[in-house]
């Protein structure tokens, strides 16, 4: 039987971090950074956020952790991290900072949520 857990504070932080990261992407797009018409990052951020909010199963934070690790490693593997410190387009830099902070916060909150979801409760 599936147990529908209440939305924990860690779950709320996951969702908030992922939605905040999405706002950072929107800021980057508005600032002129070239993104595809439908950026895949929206799916990478918003699907885990939706699952955390609506599915509320014990395993759901794992998806947020995977998304966070994927995006954080992609930031450095692609070389996009230099945009964090390149202030020629301040909106792009600020948007990337917001995205990065949101993703990192969601990833750490996901780790906390997994630990809480699978910890043995003693009475």
């Amino acid at each position: 039987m599936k147990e529908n857990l209440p939305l924990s504070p860690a779950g709320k932080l996951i969702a908030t971090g992922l939605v905040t990261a999405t706002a950072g992407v929107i800021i980057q797009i508005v600032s002129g950074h070239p993104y595809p018409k439908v950026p895949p990052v929206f799916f990478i951020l918003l699907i885990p956020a939706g699952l955390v909010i609506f599915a509320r199963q014990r395993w759901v934070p794992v998806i947020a952790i995977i998304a966070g690790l994927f995006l954080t490693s992609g930031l450095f593997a692609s070389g996009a991290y230099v945009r964090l410190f390149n202030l020629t387009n301040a909106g792009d830099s600020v948007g990337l900072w917001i995205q990065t902070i949101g993703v990192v916060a969601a990833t750490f909150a996901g780790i906390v949520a997994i630990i809480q979801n699978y910890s043995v409760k003693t009475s």
Side-chain angles (χ1 to χ4, degrees):
M1 182 170 169
K2 292 185 179 181
E3 180 184 352
N4 214 4
L5 302 171
L7 191 55
S8 68
K12 290 176 186 175
L13 184 57
I14 294 169
T16 302
L18 294 175
V19 171
T20 301
T22 303
V25 173
I26 292 170
I27 291 170
Q28 293 171 65
I29 292 170
V30 169
S31 298
H33 187 76
Y35 269 96
K37 282 190 177 222
V38 180
V41 72
F42 286 155
F43 300 105
I44 297 169
L45 293 169
L46 294 177
I47 289 174
L51 286 171
V52 167
I53 293 169
F54 298 112
R56 291 195 242 158
Q57 301 295 315
R58 296 177 124 196
W59 56 269
V60 169
V62 172
I63 295 173
I65 294 169
I66 292 169
L69 293 174
F70 177 75
L71 290 171
T72 303
S73 65
L75 175 70
F76 292 99
S78 70
Y81 68 92
V82 297
R83 292 180 19 231
L84 292 168
F85 306 104
N86 184 359
L87 298 180
T88 56
N89 184 345
D92 182 38
S93 181
V94 167
L96 187 56
W97 272 107
I98 291 170
Q99 177 187 352
T100 303
I101 291 168
V103 166
V104 169
T107 303
F108 282 116
I111 293 168
V112 169
I114 286 294
I115 291 168
Q116 289 175 345
N117 289 347
Y118 287 97
S119 66
V120 177
K121 308 258 190 252
T122 57
S123 298

